[in-house]
Amino acid sequence: MAATWTPGSDARIISETERLIQQRADNTFRQRGLRMAKDASDKQAALTAQVSMKGRRGPGFK
């Protein structure tokens, strides 16, 4: 069945395309934020592990 053109179909297609582009931008932004939060959490965990390891070595170590 072939698609037929109706008045307003161009506007509907453009509107749907714009909505999908905006949704993609929002998802990309959200993923970037989650990635940055994970990186910050990983760095904090690494720093915490370093500090706790230094505390266990005992006196005389730096």
Side-chain angles (χ1 to χ4, degrees):
M1 179 174 194
T4 58
W5 182 87
T6 59
S9 63
D10 289 344
R12 188 172 63 247
I13 290 169
I14 291 170
S15 175
E16 181 67 12
T17 301
E18 288 174 345
R19 186 187 69 78
L20 291 172
I21 290 170
Q22 183 61 48
Q23 188 177 35
R24 168 86 184 231
D26 292 346
N27 288 341
T28 300
F29 184 73
R30 189 176 309 114
Q31 284 179 336
R32 185 177 299 131
L34 291 171
R35 193 175 308 117
M36 289 173 63
K38 182 187 178 308
D39 290 346
S41 177
D42 291 348
K43 286 179 183 178
Q44 182 62 40
L47 289 173
T48 301
Q50 275 184 335
V51 169
S52 67
M53 289 298 289
K54 284 183 180 179
R56 291 187 210 158
R57 287 196 270 186
F61 288 95
K62 291 185 180 181

